Amino acid sequence: AQSVTQLGSHVSVSEGALVLLRCNYSSSVPPYLFWYVQYPNQGLQLLLKYTTGATLVKGINGFEAEFKKSETSFHLTKPSAHMSDAAEYFCAVRKSGGYQKVTFGTGTKLQVIP
Amino acid sequence: SAVISQKPSRDICQRGTSLTIQCQVDSQVTMMFWYRQQPGQSLTLIATANQGSEATYESGFVIDKFPISRPNLTFSTLTVSNMSPEDSSIYLCSVSGEEDNQPQHFGDGTRLSIL
């Protein structure tokens, strides 16, 4: 079975500071990995995805994530936080090889302090 | 990516009643999913709804409580039956392409409160 662990249910950063949201996964086969963002009163919006190829993937709103197989990690980063980044972020994993269900992490709520 | 519209966006219901949530997609999709997101928690998959077949329910969810229809490739409904306060949640419709490397895309959800 696959699983996702997001360290830190709440993260606070100052505006302009680095954003780092951690995600570790377990999967018996090469995974597909995703980050989603959920703003208040909205659904989930895809930020970025890793399927194959380049391990550093860039997404929307200046976010990027790096797939590190040796560390089974897919941490989300952004060099400089903006107030509009305040939201909840979910990491998700799906096993490759035929359709598999997506497993979501428990989410990390990002607070940006002015 | 597909545009997904959910109705209603929110509702307040009396216990013991039922509510049907609609999910409309602007393109044909094979796989549709219904999720529940309880307050302050992550997403839990209720069922997978593919056109032309019965919905597949996850452990802990049953058809009598959450009947699902999928009449065509652009539409699905989820009914929450005989509601109790424990059913107060956000219900999210999601779609995905057939290829396993494709992400899921979500509607804005239905925020349901049961009194």
Side-chain angles (χ1 to χ4, degrees):
Chain A
Q2 63 206 27
S3 66
V4 178
T5 302
Q6 290 184 241
L7 284 178
S9 58
H10 290 80
V11 170
S12 293
V13 300
S14 298
E15 189 175 17
L18 171 72
V19 176
L20 171 60
L21 304 183
R22 299 178 185 275
C23 173
N24 288 88
Y25 69 90
S26 69
S27 176
S28 56
V29 298
Y32 299 131
L33 295 158
F34 311 92
W35 274 100
Y36 288 87
V37 60
Q38 186 177 32
Y39 298 103
N41 296 313
Q42 294 187 25
L44 275 69
Q45 179 182 5
L46 180 69
L47 271 179
L48 48 79
K49 64 177 181 179
Y50 168 78
T51 54
T52 58
T55 56
L56 180 64
V57 293
K58 295 185 185 298
I60 61 172
N61 302 338
F63 284 93
E64 62 183 36
E66 185 170 12
F67 170 60
K68 292 188 176 180
K69 183 178 179 180
S70 61
E71 299 177 8
T72 61
S73 69
F74 191 57
H75 301 331
L76 181 71
T77 60
K78 182 174 180 178
S80 176
H82 192 273
M83 295 299 294
S84 61
D85 295 326
E88 189 152 22
Y89 293 80
F90 293 93
C91 182
V93 62
R94 173 194 277 171
K95 292 196 292 187
S96 60
Y99 181 75
Q100 304 282 345
K101 288 183 296 186
V102 175
T103 299
F104 288 86
T106 51
T108 297
K109 194 162 286 186
L110 177 66
Q111 180 185 23
V112 182
I113 303 166
Chain B
S1 61
V3 176
I4 304 162
S5 301
Q6 266 188 252
K7 291 181 180 179
S9 59
R10 61 179 66 242
D11 207 341
I12 301 172
C13 300
Q14 298 294 322
R15 67 175 68 203
T17 62
S18 298
L19 179 74
T20 296
I21 302 168
Q22 298 180 2
C23 179
Q24 179 75 53
V25 189
D26 69 343
S27 58
Q28 295 185 338
V29 292
T30 303
M31 312 196 75
M32 294 182 78
F33 310 89
W34 288 99
Y35 286 85
R36 181 175 72 183
Q37 186 180 21
Q38 293 180 302
Q41 297 190 27
S42 187
L43 282 72
T44 302
L45 180 63
I46 298 172
T48 301
N50 294 334
Q51 194 267 339
S53 62
E54 296 289 323
T56 302
Y57 289 83
E58 297 300 305
S59 175
F61 297 96
V62 295
I63 187 170
D64 289 347
K65 176 67 175 177
F66 297 101
I68 288 171
S69 77
R70 181 79 199 275
N72 57 53
L73 291 174
T74 63
F75 188 77
S76 178
T77 66
L78 169 76
T79 299
V80 186
S81 303
N82 188 24
M83 290 183 286
S84 66
E86 293 71 35
D87 295 319
S88 297
S89 285
I90 302 172
Y91 292 87
L92 292 153
C93 172
S94 175
V95 304
S96 174
E98 291 187 50
E99 299 297 323
D100 61 355
N101 63 355
Q102 294 184 8
Q104 292 188 8
H105 298 281
F106 289 83
D108 280 344
T110 295
R111 283 145 183 83
L112 183 57
S113 297
I114 315 303
L115 301 178

